[in-house]
């Protein structure tokens, strides 16, 4: 089977970044030059688009509403997307989305233990990658809600 056909077949089942597709093709034993040509071929035809993949994944993460800005960045980097592209896309990220995700996390975490130590809540949110400003905003919300 031609390497371009293999690349297209892989892209039929799941969107890949250029990095992911390159790694899969190299793992199947194709040489570097052939892989580069195949990636160029599928990119020119619009089958492979890192910017569109980044937008799609960010929309998915926003819908899930459970990842911090930092966690979203790390997940996209694991998919092999370039940091410059991710940073450009995250520049438009709504701060309110991160706040809502942090609030959802804390609410879920506190559900089991109402008298939870706030230092544990702060450590948990920080470990999940939420910004200090977001953590402060969530704590302020929790203080306002407490009797």
């Amino acid at each position: 089977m031609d390497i371009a056909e293999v690349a297209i077949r892989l892209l039929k089942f799941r969107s890949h970044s250029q990095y992911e597709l390159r790694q899969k093709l190299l793992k199947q034993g194709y040489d570097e030059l052939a892989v580069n040509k195949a990636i160029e071929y599928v990119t020119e035809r619009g089958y492979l688009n890192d910017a569109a993949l980044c937008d799609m994944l960010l929309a998915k993460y926003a819908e899930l509403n459970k990842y911090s800005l930092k966690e979203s960045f790390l997940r996209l980097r694991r998919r092999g997307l370039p940091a410059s592209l991710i940073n450009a896309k995250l520049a438009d990220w709504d701060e309110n989305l991160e706040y809502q995700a942090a609030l959802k996390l804390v609410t879920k975490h506190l559900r089991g233990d109402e008298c939870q130590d706030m230092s544990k809540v702060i450590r948990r949110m920080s470990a999940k990658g939420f910004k200090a400003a977001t953590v402060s905003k969530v704590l302020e919300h929790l203080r306002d809600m407490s009797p």
Side-chain angles (χ1 to χ4, degrees):
M1 185 180 280
D2 181 50
I3 187 170
E5 291 173 3
V6 172
I8 291 170
R9 191 190 61 191
L10 287 170
L11 291 168
K12 271 187 199 178
F13 298 109
R14 177 179 169 264
S15 295
H16 290 75
S17 66
Q18 284 188 12
Y19 173 81
E20 289 174 318
L21 186 60
R22 174 177 271 98
Q23 294 306 312
K24 283 193 176 189
L25 293 173
L26 288 172
K27 194 174 182 180
Q28 290 184 13
Y30 293 104
D31 66 278
E32 187 82 30
L33 183 61
V35 169
N36 289 337
K37 285 183 180 182
I39 288 175
E40 185 179 320
Y41 177 84
V42 294
T43 302
E44 286 173 354
R45 282 154 183 77
Y47 300 131
L48 184 65
N49 185 339
D50 281 354
L53 177 63
C54 188
D55 287 338
M56 181 191 72
L57 290 172
L58 281 174
K60 177 183 168 187
Y61 298 159
E63 185 180 321
L64 289 173
N65 194 25
K66 67 178 189 177
Y67 300 125
S68 66
L69 189 69
K70 185 176 181 179
E71 177 68 19
S72 298
F73 177 85
L74 292 173
R75 286 176 168 273
L76 293 170
R77 284 297 293 150
R78 275 186 238 127
R79 292 287 303 261
L81 294 169
S84 58
L85 173 66
I86 299 168
N87 286 328
K89 299 293 184 180
L90 287 177
D92 300 333
W93 186 269
D94 186 7
E95 295 281 329
N96 192 42
L97 290 174
E98 185 174 61
Y99 169 71
Q100 293 299 326
L103 193 57
K104 181 179 176 182
L105 173 77
V106 169
T107 305
K108 180 180 172 186
H109 187 68
L110 289 177
R111 194 173 298 144
D113 188 7
E114 292 301 325
C115 53
Q116 180 79 23
D117 182 16
M118 281 301 144
S119 62
K120 287 183 180 179
V121 172
I122 293 169
R123 281 195 305 271
R124 182 161 179 84
M125 284 193 293
S126 295
K128 291 287 188 178
F130 290 101
K131 295 181 200 170
T134 304
V135 173
S136 297
K137 196 173 174 182
V138 168
L139 290 175
E140 187 178 307
H141 176 79
L142 291 175
R143 280 189 210 111
D144 291 345
M145 297 298 292
S146 65

